[in-house]
Amino acid sequence: MKRFLEKLAEGALLLSGSITSITILLIVLFLFKEASGLFRSPVIEEGYVIALNKANTVKSLSSYEIKEIFDGEISNWAELGGKDEAIEVVRLSDLTNYYTEEELGAEFENIPAKASELTASHPGIVLFLPKQYLAKKFDGITLDKETIHPGDFFGGKEWYPTASPSAQFGLLPLLLGTLWVSLGAILLSLPFGIAVAVYLAEIATMRVRNILKPIIELLAGIPSVVYGFFGLVVLVPFLQKIFQLPVGETALAGSVVLAIMALPTIITVAEDAMRTTPRAMKEASLALGATHWQTIYKVIIPYSKSGITSAAVLGIGRAIGETMAVLMVTGNAAVIPHTLLEPVRTIPATIAAELGEAASGSAHYQALFALGCILFLITMVLSISVEFISKKQK
Amino acid sequence: MTPLDKTSKIDKRKRRSQFIAFTLFKLMSYSVVAMLILILGFITTKGIGVINWEFLTTAPQEGMTKGGIYPAIIGTLVLVLGSSLFSFPIGIMSGIYMNEYATNSKLAAFIRVMTNNLSGVPSVVFGLFGMALFVNTMGFGDSILAGSLTLGLLSLPLVIRTTEESLKAIDFSFREGSLALGATKLQTIRKVILPMAFPNIITGLILSIGRVSGETAPILFTVAAYFLPKLPHSIFDQVMALPYHLYVISTSGTDIEASRGIAYGTALVLIAIVLIVNLLANFLRTFFSKRVKMN
């Protein structure tokens, strides 16, 4: 009986022990399941179809090409590898330019027939039509089987998730926005973090340390939304004033807020690493006549190099995944940034801002899960590299 | 110039560079402290005037420009409680398994890596995952249940790590002593190890409560309501929550300028929670370390 209980308890403990692994597995499963749907969803807005003239040699259009056509950026089929023919964009509302209201019918019952007729008679046409108006025997090519290509997502330079007729799910502006903000943050916080770590580990007296440590812990405890709020009411107007910007919500504001938020992580990890320096090494250096400062930068810092690297990587990981504070201060413009003084939009901020509006199961929803996958993969790689670095240290 | 003069000159230069470096480090450290004081001081001075009994006990009114934050306080408390009910038992058991049973095995190493990885997963990914699993697949909808489970998963690594560290701090001789007296492993853990580790575990749990109460991204799509003056009746209801409330009224409220005062008040309440949690944890740490002298 007793032995049975022991076994039972051990089983229950093992089950609890495996919960984190199960969670990771489930996260991978659900994220990738929803995200993979993106590459099966149609390029064109749900419920619509794009039709071309039968003689047109262009047989498929990518999401980006459709957008460029409807924006008027591409105006000749030759640009898409077709015949030299001007592109004629026709939406449902444009049909009245070709036919009178009587011809289309009082209840628009003639639209299917007329649309078919129009497509057959205009060689350069590209017609954007709700599926319900597609005639049974439509005289033209319809592009409704086109799905979003991985290249459209991974190489896409534009993020317009609600654009019509073809939404743009380009990863690049968001990825670059995330990297800019995070790198800015780490460049700001790393020097401070290491300086504070050295001060705490080597210079400060026990009493000062006992005061500073809880303060740094407190800095880590402040919720990100409070940092975001502080950034919004203090930092953003301040940056706008000193740099004379049209808007203060910029990548730089995000970097500064993230730098403050990443500090506790960097300080703690770097300080712990410096504390592991063997006493004998320090004493040997001092005995050879080196000053304390020389010992720090010639012995302690080189010895704790991998710990400091871990600190930097963990800080970057923290910065890349941070959501609320960044969402509140970076201005959220989904364009590829050129300077730190422009509004940017990061991956987590995009997910947080848009998931509420995206209908469950839509391409937009799936695209946001795809962003989640990217974020998850980045942080996984960072976590594993920290693991690797600290193993090397041992 | 005698060699001795030369040494003293080098000595002086070394001293000076040490002085400059140390002063710089000191200044940078104090500037970090100054930053914290700036943030706390700013929000406290702006928010303290807003906070009174009415603010803490009434619902928001007139498009959240007047009234209080009572439903959000209750919502956050409910979520903290719900997530703790999930993460504390499982996290503690997991920590016990890793430190007492699976020492040095490949499995333990694997679990440890996974736990570290989980703690690195961004909170917004937890939000996505919670939405896909609890809200949609399991059909809980936007509810306290879904939100609590999501927050619980998020705080698991912290609870596990705290438990593990607390257990690790207990000297091995206590285990050997208990086993030598004929106690089983389970008895040893229950009667000897856990009571000794208890103070440190509690401290860690309190800190994890602080973390959970401030999280916004995981509850965005799993439980948080924009405006809901009624209090929840069941675990399938939505609730308001303090961090989400602060986000909403400072970025997308009906009248952002008019609700600024309430935003400062809400931020101050959030900071107060974190302060209280940290002070409590520090107090317990010193209290117990004076009483229980182990090792």
Side-chain angles (χ1 to χ4, degrees), chain B residues 61-91:
Chain B
Q61 284 149 18
E62 293 177 34
M64 303 202 265
T65 55
K66 293 219 169 64
I69 52 168
Y70 181 59
I73 294 178
I74 295 297
T76 292
L77 287 181
V78 168
L79 289 175
V80 165
L81 186 72
S83 67
S84 308
L85 282 178
F86 171 70
S87 69
F88 286 3
I90 297 184

Side-chain angles (χ1 to χ4, degrees), chain A residues 6 13-14 16-17 20 30 192 199 212 215 219 232 289 291-294 323-324 327-328 355 365 383, chain B residues 14 18 25 29 31 33 36 42 93-94 97 101 111 115 117 124 131 133 136-137 184 186 216 221 247 250:
Chain A
E6 290 274 325
L13 291 173
L14 171 65
S16 318
T20 48
F30 274 90
F192 272 90
Y199 184 71
L212 285 183
I215 287 180
L219 212 54
L232 194 65
T291 60
H292 193 180
W293 166 232
Q294 283 173 322
T323 315
M324 299 316 291
L327 176 62
M328 290 164 87
L355 193 63
Y365 178 86
S383 292
Chain B
K14 285 202 295 194
Q18 164 155 325
F25 286 167
S29 302
S31 66
V33 178
L36 181 79
F42 179 79
M93 280 164 74
S94 179
Y97 180 78
Y101 285 87
I111 291 177
T115 309
N117 282 346
V124 72
M131 185 189 190
L133 177 64
N136 293 340
T137 308
T184 62
L186 190 61
T216 317
F221 323 110
Y247 166 63
S250 59

Side-chain angles (χ1 to χ4, degrees), chain B residues 66 84 116 122 133 147 168 173 200 206 235 245 247 259 268 270-271:
Chain B
K66 293 219 169 64
S84 308
N116 282 343
L133 177 64
K168 211 177 275 169
S173 60
N200 285 330
I206 289 172
I235 53 168
H245 189 63
Y247 166 63
S259 47
L268 184 54
L270 269 171
I271 285 185

Side-chain angles (χ1 to χ4, degrees), chain B residues 22-243:
Chain B
F22 282 16
T23 314
L24 189 70
F25 286 167
K26 198 171 178 177
L27 280 179
M28 283 169 108
S29 302
Y30 286 129
S31 66
V32 170
V33 178
M35 209 143 55
L36 181 79
I37 292 172
L38 178 73
I39 295 174
L40 294 188
F42 179 79
I43 288 174
T44 309
T45 46
K46 290 268 193 178
I48 197 83
V50 184
I51 292 186
N52 51 39
W53 187 244
E54 200 200 333
F55 181 72
L56 298 175
T57 55
T58 56
Q61 284 149 18
E62 293 177 34
M64 303 202 265
T65 55
K66 293 219 169 64
I69 52 168
Y70 181 59
I73 294 178
I74 295 297
T76 292
L77 287 181
V78 168
L79 289 175
V80 165
L81 186 72
S83 67
S84 308
L85 282 178
F86 171 70
S87 69
F88 286 3
I90 297 184
I92 291 175
M93 280 164 74
S94 179
I96 293 174
Y97 180 78
M98 278 165 65
N99 198 63
E100 302 296 323
Y101 285 87
T103 37
N104 290 328
S105 75
K106 276 222 170 85
L107 182 68
F110 177 76
I111 291 177
R112 202 158 287 131
V113 170
M114 281 304 187
T115 309
N116 282 343
N117 282 346
L118 194 66
S119 69
V121 171
S123 57
V124 72
V125 173
F126 277 100
L128 274 176
F129 170 64
M131 185 189 190
L133 177 64
F134 302 124
V135 176
N136 293 340
T137 308
M138 290 189 165
F140 296 155
D142 279 4
S143 62
I144 294 173
L145 184 60
S148 299
L149 288 174
T150 311
L151 285 173
L153 285 179
L154 176 100
S155 60
L156 258 183
L158 195 61
V159 177
I160 295 176
R161 203 173 300 159
T162 324
T163 310
E164 220 194 327
E165 300 278 316
S166 318
L167 294 176
K168 211 177 275 169
I170 296 170
D171 200 79
F172 215 77
S173 60
F174 288 100
R175 294 182 182 83
E176 285 162 347
S178 170
L179 291 173
L181 287 170
T184 62
K185 194 164 190 178
L186 190 61
Q187 283 172 327
T188 306
I189 292 170
R190 258 183 48 208
K191 299 267 168 72
V192 181
I193 309 300
L194 274 186
M196 288 185 75
F198 184 71
N200 285 330
I201 295 180
I202 288 288
T203 311
L205 296 187
I206 289 172
L207 286 175
S208 92
I209 285 179
R211 163 112 200 255
V212 164
S213 57
E215 279 292 344
T216 317
I219 58 172
L220 276 178
F221 323 110
T222 53
V223 52
Y226 181 77
F227 176 63
L228 194 73
K230 273 193 303 185
L231 295 182
H233 292 293
S234 82
I235 53 168
F236 292 105
D237 285 346
Q238 276 187 287
V239 284
M240 292 177 82
L242 283 173

Side-chain angles (χ1 to χ4, degrees), chain A residues 322-333:
Chain A
E322 180 45 51
T323 315
M324 299 316 291
V326 177
L327 176 62
M328 290 164 87
V329 302
T330 52
N332 296 318

